[in-house]
């Protein structure tokens, strides 16, 4: 029953994540926390690996598609920074967890930080028509922004998600559907290096192979379904779905905060 729940969470999160360009982790991680079927560390690990599988599949399909809008030259420096930041964020997570007398209390910290990120993202999305965006071309600045992105996404165990979308829309003036594809590309790099660090540092939590395999399968299947659905959706509809997703995540964050406190 637990494995079936994880499969469904991975699938539905990845469908939503692919459509909105948030990778799925921003929904998957807090939902797994809320379900109570995995520890904070295990939830972060399972979510991260699933997001890696989904974004890997989606990025490959996007790059090979005729209507590909992934701007590799623009997002490569951002992705590099996100990869470095991902390692730093994972280190901070493990450090805070190891120094806490109650390791799962870090879940409360994650819930607060994610809630603030979600709230800020929602406000930007609602007001972005009145916000003047930039056309960032400086690669060093892109790398620095990517590092900050990677730290937040890895520490929170969400893979990037809404933060990446806001950055791509504000700093690079990308329309919604283009930002979605480029966000998945950036999340992929962040998750690769984050997983490498987790394995190399020996911080992989105990897990059931069946659960991980099912979540990866659910992530890839959800990514495929989300990619197919998103083709028929306009940028305006995706924005509305995104706002709805953020509202749900915010409520879950409030619930998780009180759960871990």
């Amino acid at each position: 029953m637990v494995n079936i729940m994880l499969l469904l969470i991975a699938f539905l999160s990845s469908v939503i994540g692919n459509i909105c360009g948030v990778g799925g982790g921003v929904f998957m991680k807090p939902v797994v926390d809320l379900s109570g079927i995995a520890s904070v560390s295990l939830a972060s690990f399972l979510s991260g690996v699933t997001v890696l599988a989904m974004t890997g599949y989606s990025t490959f399909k996007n790059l090979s598609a005729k209507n590909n809008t992934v701007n590799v030259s623009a997002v490569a420096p951002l992705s590099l920074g996100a990869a470095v930041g991902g390692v730093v964020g994972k280190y901070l997570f493990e450090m805070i967890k190891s120094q806490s007398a109650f390791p799962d209390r870090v879940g409360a910290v994650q819930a607060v930080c994610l809630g603030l990120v979600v709230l800020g993202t929602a406000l930007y999305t609602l007001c972005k028509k009145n916000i003047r965006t930039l056309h960032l071309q400086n690669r060093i600045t892109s790398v620095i922004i990517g590092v900050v992105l990677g730290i937040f996404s890895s520490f929170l165990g969400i893979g990037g998600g809404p933060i990446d979308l806001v950055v791509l829309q504000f700093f690079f003036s990308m329309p919604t559907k283009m930002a979605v594809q480029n966000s998945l590309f950036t999340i992929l790099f962040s998750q690769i290096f984050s997983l490498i660090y987790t394995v190399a540092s020996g911080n992989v939590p105990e897990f059931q192979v069946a659960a991980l395999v099912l979540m990866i399968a659910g992530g890839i299947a959800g990514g495929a379904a989300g990619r197919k659905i998103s083709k028929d959706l306009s940028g305006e509809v995706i924005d509305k779905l995104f706002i709805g997703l953020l509202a749900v995540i915010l409520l879950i964050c409030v619930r998780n905060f009180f759960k871990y406190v």
Side-chain angles (χ1 to χ4, degrees), residues 39 67 73 83 94-95 110 112 118 145 162 165 192 229 247:
S39 66
N67 61 341
S73 61
E94 295 297 338
M95 181 182 67
Q110 287 181 315
V112 171
V118 167
I145 294 173
L165 274 183
I192 288 174
I229 294 171

Side-chain angles (χ1 to χ4, degrees), residues 12-184:
L12 294 175
S13 298
S14 297
V15 170
I16 298 170
N18 192 289
I19 293 173
C20 298
V22 295
V26 69
F27 185 72
M28 193 184 317
K29 170 62 169 59
V31 169
V32 174
D33 283 341
L34 181 65
S35 70
I37 57 181
S39 66
V40 173
S41 296
L42 182 57
S44 293
F45 176 75
L46 293 175
S47 175
V49 175
T50 305
V51 169
L52 174 60
M54 190 279 276
T55 53
Y57 166 82
S58 298
T59 299
F60 172 77
K61 297 295 287 186
N62 287 336
L63 290 174
S64 59
K66 293 181 179 180
N67 61 341
N68 169 47
T69 59
V70 176
N71 190 338
V72 177
S73 61
V75 298
L78 187 73
S79 301
L80 176 62
V84 175
V87 174
V88 176
K90 186 64 68 175
Y91 171 78
L92 290 175
F93 173 81
E94 295 297 338
M95 181 182 67
I96 293 175
K97 180 173 176 291
S98 63
Q99 293 182 355
S100 174
F102 303 94
D104 275 354
R105 287 281 176 86
V106 72
V109 177
Q110 287 181 315
V112 171
C113 293
L114 180 56
L116 293 174
V117 167
V118 167
L119 185 59
T121 302
L123 291 174
Y124 175 85
T125 304
L126 289 171
C127 303
K128 67 180 182 179
K129 290 184 178 180
N130 300 317
I131 297 176
R132 184 177 180 181
T133 59
L134 306 177
H135 293 272
L136 185 64
Q137 295 181 339
N138 187 294
R139 293 187 176 183
I140 295 178
T141 304
S142 294
V143 171
I144 294 173
I145 294 173
V147 170
V148 176
L149 277 179
I151 291 174
F152 271 98
S153 62
S154 184
F155 176 77
L156 297 177
I158 61 173
I163 320 175
D164 288 11
L165 274 183
V166 169
V167 166
L168 291 169
Q169 290 175 347
F170 177 73
F171 287 101
F172 298 92
S173 295
M174 291 187 181
T176 299
K177 298 199 74 168
M178 182 177 183
V180 165
Q181 287 196 16
N182 284 271
S183 174
L184 295 175

